[in-house]
Amino acid sequence: RATVVAAAELGLDPYLVVAASAAEIENKDRLPCRGNILLNRMVGAGIILAQCSGDEDTFFSDCVIPRMEKLAKDLLAEGTKAYTIPVGGSNTLALWAYVSAFQEMMEQGLLEKYDDVVAVFGTGGTCTGLAVANYLVGSPLK
C-alpha cells in the first residue's frame, strides 16, 4: 500500500499484481472497492489479477512473481522502464533502507530515549534491516 501511494506521489505509474482465483478474474469489474483495492484505485494504480491456484505457499513464486516479470517486460517493450519490487519489499535495497532509517533514529537521539523498537512485519525485511543495523552499531536495543 505505502509503496503504491509513494510511487503515485512521485508521478510514477504504479501497478499492483494481485493473486486471484479464476472466479475473481472472471468478475474483475466487480472486485469489491474496499481496503487495499480501494486505496490502490484511489491513487490510480493499475491492478493486475494473476490467476493462482494450488498451494498458498507458492502463490508468489509460481504465480505473482512471473506475472510481475511479464508486466515489466511488456512495459519495457512499450518504452517504459519498470522497477519490480518484490513481495513485501524484501530485498537488499530495502535492507539498506532500514539500516539508513536506523541511522536516522540514532541521529534523532532515539536510542538514548528508548530500550526497545517495536515493528510490524510480514516478510521479515523490516525486522532484518533494523536488526542488522542494531548489530552493526552495537546498540543495546531489543
Side-chain angles (χ1 to χ4, degrees):
R1 297 174 303 260
T3 304
V4 170
V5 172
E9 285 292 314
L10 292 170
L12 301 172
D13 296 323
Y15 292 86
L16 186 69
V17 177
V18 179
S21 67
E24 289 171 319
I25 291 174
E26 185 176 314
N27 297 302
K28 67 181 176 186
D29 295 330
R30 289 188 263 160
L31 277 177
C33 201
R34 62 179 184 262
N36 291 341
I37 297 294
L38 173 61
L39 181 62
N40 292 315
R41 285 181 174 167
M42 288 174 63
V43 298
I47 299 172
I48 312 296
L49 300 180
Q51 186 170 340
C52 299
S53 60
D55 187 2
E56 283 188 32
D57 292 336
T58 61
F59 272 7
F60 295 114
S61 61
D62 293 347
C63 177
V64 174
I65 293 170
R67 185 63 184 94
M68 286 172 50
E69 292 168 350
K70 182 183 181 318
L71 175 61
K73 185 178 177 183
D74 292 348
L75 289 169
L76 188 58
E78 295 172 7
T80 301
K81 187 175 179 183
Y83 178 75
T84 57
I85 298 172
V87 176
S90 294
N91 62 11
T92 306
L93 179 62
L95 178 129
W96 290 110
Y98 284 109
V99 169
S100 178
F102 194 89
Q103 180 180 9
E104 185 175 327
M105 290 173 15
M106 289 173 50
E107 291 168 1
Q108 293 175 7
L110 296 178
L111 302 185
E112 290 81 34
K113 296 178 185 176
Y114 300 99
D115 298 322
D116 300 302
V117 173
V118 179
V120 178
F121 64 92
T123 60
T126 302
C127 188
T128 301
L130 294 175
V132 166
N134 191 53
Y135 173 78
L136 289 175
V137 299
S139 167
L141 286 177
K142 299 177 263 173

